[in-house]
Amino acid sequence: MRRIAILTLSVMPVSALAADVWQTVGDWTILINTEGTGKCFASRELDDGSEVQIGAEPTLDGGYFAIYNEAWTHIEEGQDGTVEFDFGTARFGGEANGRIENGKPGGYAFFNNPAFVQKFARSQTVKIIGSQGNTFELDLTGTSKAIRGVLACQDALPEPEAESE
């Protein structure tokens, strides 16, 4: 199984995130996080109330996938876990971090594997399996355009300064 590298970061909770709309691409909204140096991400709300985000982490040379749902009360801020992305023909997995955004608990996973982004953009669906056995199937229709939108947004921003360890 392929593995994606995941980092658990101690940062300000995403619920404090301030963002401006950059553009809309199908069902996805491309936003700029206006906190700090600025990062772009795509957000989409699903029928069950889940919010999915795919974003850039330019100072870390990677990106992230996050999903939030107010029904997931078992997830706590800062809680460590694992996540697996099953595309049918390929699997990627790694660590995830519990986060709260706009009052909705969920998980955040950092990735720096370009093959993950390519598979995410080219697939029709992905099964996401959390460490507590929760399984979530995500329709990826329009995701390729959303990822291109995030990259174009990020290219339009000033170069961020690298984070020091």
Side-chain angles (χ1 to χ4, degrees), residues 65-115:
F65 173 86
I67 187 165
Y68 304 94
N69 187 305
E70 64 186 18
W72 298 344
T73 57
H74 62 282
I75 299 174
E76 297 176 14
E77 180 78 32
Q79 178 181 2
D80 292 333
T82 61
V83 66
E84 182 178 311
F85 297 88
D86 183 350
F87 293 97
T89 58
R91 287 182 167 186
F92 298 84
E95 296 174 13
N97 183 255
R99 300 275 177 102
I100 308 293
E101 179 166 318
N102 298 325
K104 295 180 181 181
Y108 166 97
F110 172 84
F111 57 86
N112 62 0
N113 184 341

Side-chain angles (χ1 to χ4, degrees), residues 17-88:
L17 185 70
D20 291 333
V21 174
W22 191 68
Q23 79 178 145
T24 301
V25 179
D27 292 338
W28 295 87
T29 302
I30 312 301
L31 300 134
I32 300 171
N33 170 351
T34 56
E35 298 284 324
T37 60
K39 301 173 187 175
C40 297
F41 66 99
S43 179
R44 174 178 156 201
E45 188 161 327
L46 306 179
D47 292 338
D48 71 350
S50 296
E51 180 182 352
V52 176
Q53 295 179 355
I54 306 164
E57 289 286 2
T59 59
L60 299 172
D61 292 325
Y64 71 91
F65 173 86
I67 187 165
Y68 304 94
N69 187 305
E70 64 186 18
W72 298 344
T73 57
H74 62 282
I75 299 174
E76 297 176 14
E77 180 78 32
Q79 178 181 2
D80 292 333
T82 61
V83 66
E84 182 178 311
F85 297 88
D86 183 350
F87 293 97

